[in-house]
Amino acid sequence: MSAGEPLARLEGIVKRYRAAVDERPALQEVDLTIRKGEFVAIMGPSGSGKSTLMNILGCLDVPSAGRYFLDGRDTSRLSPDALARLRNRTIGFVFQGFNLLKRMNAVDNVALPLLYAGLSLTERRRRARELLERMGLGRFAESLPNQMSGGQQQRIAIARALVNDPQLLLADEPTGNLDTQTSASIMALLTELNRSHGITIVLVTHEPDIAAYARRMVRFLDGRIVQDTSQPSASTHEPELIMRSSA
Ligand code: ADP
């Protein structure tokens, strides 16, 4: 699928964490446009601003200067409630440490983001269960996180990120805690979500092997973009059919 219209657009984004004028900002005048259907890897050494960028893209933090447009909306003009709704509807998050709630089974973890959609508990669980089935994870529905392997937990966490049908998936080192083979299977799933389901993905990684799955690589250094290249060959892996389309 070719990339479409802008989904997330950063214009002149500056992020300062401290008031001191001589403190170098974590992001310095960053301009970045992520288009619908893209799969972007964000790389760069520790401290280069990758997490700060992801927090801003995810509307978890606000820039000190510059503008952030998400799905055509200027996020600085939205009330906190409107911003939370836009985030909930548009973005799914996947983390290195999976971040599943330990006392909840897979169904209830996956159903969590539906809490704000005004659905009954029965309906939330029905949707979560249906998504787990489509992702081939139905057998884990009643399992608690500590009864699953790391790779299985990350699949459940990806299901949770998808349950609201987001356009944008933000993944912060999603394979950082996984072995090579499990990492490859998680990347195959993300590749399929991007190619077959049109989900836009922004992924932070330290590993060139993982970045190679993306079709565009953006490298940060000292809070600035120092490289932005497309990788037409991307990964040569044929996406297996891991997730069935809904209905
Ligand atoms: P990366 O994710 O690439 O490791 P970060 O975005 O975490 O980089 O950090 C960029 C810069 O901002 C670093 O200098 C870091 O020390 C600083 N920084 C990040 N978060 C905070 C914070 N909450 N308070 C103060 N400084 C921070």
Side-chain angles (χ1 to χ4, degrees), residues 9 49 63-64 77 100-101 109 159 165 200 212 222:
R9 185 154 58 90
S64 314
R77 293 177 178 272
L100 297 174
L101 295 189
N109 266 289
D165 281 326
T200 307
D222 294 341

Side-chain angles (χ1 to χ4, degrees), residues 15-18 23-27 43-53 55 61 172 204 206 220 223:
K15 178 65 185 181
R16 286 175 211 287
Y17 285 108
R18 297 192 190 84
E23 185 77 27
R24 178 176 63 71
L27 292 177
M43 299 194 80
S46 183
S48 59
K50 304 180 298 296
S51 308
T52 303
L53 174 88
N55 288 341
D61 202 353
D172 198 347
V204 168
H206 279 106
F220 277 76

